Amino acid sequence: MSRLAASVVVPTRGGAKRLPVLLAALAAQDTDDFEVLPVVDGDIDGSEDVLRSWSHRLALKPIVFRENRGRAAALNAGAAAATGRIIIRCDDDLEPRSDFITGHVARHSGRRCGVVGLTTNALPDTAYARAYGRKANAHSITSALALPPKRTWRLWSANVSLAADLHARLGGYDARYRRYGWEDVDFGYRLHRAGVPIVVAPELIAVHHGASTTTAARAVRALHAGAARETFLAVHGPEALQEFDDGPLKSPPSLWDRVVAGTSSFVTERTLHAYGAAADAAVPRLPAAVAEKLIALAVESAGIAGVKYPHRARGTF
């Protein structure tokens, strides 16, 4: 019996309200040559019931962990149960186009590669979005599309695909990553080190509905992402981090750099929530450039604080 073209692996935790948007988009695909493997990483909100209600519309193969085991473990469990030739990782807060499956599969025709589809944030009309979020989103996509091939491994995250046998050869995602993020960057780096080209496919950009909508939410994520670098450093060494950061800093730090670094000393989750609320209240009354800097200070200093003080990232995602 021939294998399915693709298996879509969906790691999810607390995704009961997010999953219907994704499942509706997958049900509207222009092909049925695929299966969907949602992996519930500890059911805290009835996600299993949501998946059960969609079983008549999609080829669903749900996997439910009885306790939280982390995103890497969820991704690996989905890949282990997949029967498709191509494994597509799709986060539970995405809304892909109707040619999402066929587009990913087509990118693998005739070549061995990893494919990055990218995401674009759907932001509500908040003070954060107007002052910072929309501009940051546009800049992120422009920067991603401009990366040279040797740097695209850094983009491996929410909307990516790989041949199933290559996924198995790499050994899946590293379960040592239990903080927010970086299990995906680690996987992309190992693909890169194995000589597998990673192709960016702009036609596969998916709408991302789970983006931060406030300054505090965005800054806390930056804090946790900074803390997760500690694991990447321990696994791959400082040379890999330099490669991620485009090498060592070649010019003296600017005044802004010094302000951000100094502010990072005071960053905790509690201070970020307080600062973020104050910033979101203030930015509508400030000039656009000042408002953007006010939010950028929180986000950038939080990222540095996560690197310098990883123990300050206490919450869970």
Side-chain angles (χ1 to χ4, degrees), residues 132-188:
Y132 183 86
R134 290 172 183 153
K135 185 174 180 179
N137 179 64
H139 176 73
S140 175
I141 292 173
T142 300
S143 298
L145 294 176
L147 277 178
K150 67 179 181 179
R151 299 291 188 196
T152 51
W153 62 269
R154 301 184 302 185
L155 304 174
W156 197 267
S157 59
N159 170 13
V160 292
S161 62
L162 185 69
D165 63 322
L166 277 177
H167 189 285
R169 195 179 92 194
L170 244 67
Y173 288 80
D174 190 332
R176 286 175 288 185
Y177 290 87
R178 289 301 305 268
R179 296 182 186 270
Y180 173 74
W182 284 78
E183 79 287 333
D184 37 25
V185 175
D186 172 274
F187 193 91

Side-chain angles (χ1 to χ4, degrees), residues 150-305:
K150 67 179 181 179
R151 299 291 188 196
T152 51
W153 62 269
R154 301 184 302 185
L155 304 174
W156 197 267
S157 59
N159 170 13
V160 292
S161 62
L162 185 69
D165 63 322
L166 277 177
H167 189 285
R169 195 179 92 194
L170 244 67
Y173 288 80
D174 190 332
R176 286 175 288 185
Y177 290 87
R178 289 301 305 268
R179 296 182 186 270
Y180 173 74
W182 284 78
E183 79 287 333
D184 37 25
V185 175
D186 172 274
F187 193 91
Y189 182 68
R190 287 187 287 130
L191 272 176
H192 167 67
R193 297 292 295 174
V196 178
I198 298 176
V199 177
V200 178
E203 77 277 8
L204 297 177
I205 292 177
V207 175
H208 176 220
H209 290 284
S212 299
T213 59
T214 66
T215 297
R218 178 65 185 86
V220 169
R221 289 194 182 195
L223 175 68
H224 280 254
R229 288 167 61 111
E230 184 179 43
T231 304
F232 188 83
L233 175 62
V235 172
H236 297 293
E239 296 80 10
L241 264 183
Q242 286 185 2
E243 192 172 353
F244 179 86
D245 293 328
D246 291 320
L249 191 64
K250 293 182 174 60
S251 58
S254 65
L255 175 60
W256 173 255
D257 294 330
R258 292 195 292 271
V259 169
V260 168
T263 304
S264 70
S265 301
F266 306 100
V267 165
T268 65
E269 290 187 3
R270 183 176 179 179
T271 62
L272 289 175
H273 282 292
Y275 179 95
D280 287 347
V283 294
R285 301 187 296 273
L286 296 173
V290 175
E292 182 181 355
K293 282 294 188 183
L294 193 67
I295 296 174
L297 179 61
V299 175
E300 294 180 29
S301 64
I304 292 175

Side-chain angles (χ1 to χ4, degrees), residues 4 8-10 19-20 22-24 26-27 32 34-40 47-63 81:
L4 289 168
V8 184
V9 176
V10 182
L19 282 165
L22 170 63
L23 296 175
L26 293 176
D32 59 3
F34 69 99
E35 62 183 356
V36 183
L37 297 100
V39 186
V40 181
S47 293
E48 186 175 5
D49 292 335
V50 171
L51 294 172
R52 191 177 297 114
S53 72
W54 280 82
S55 60
H56 66 291
R57 295 183 58 184
L58 278 167
L60 287 180
K61 293 170 57 176
I63 299 169

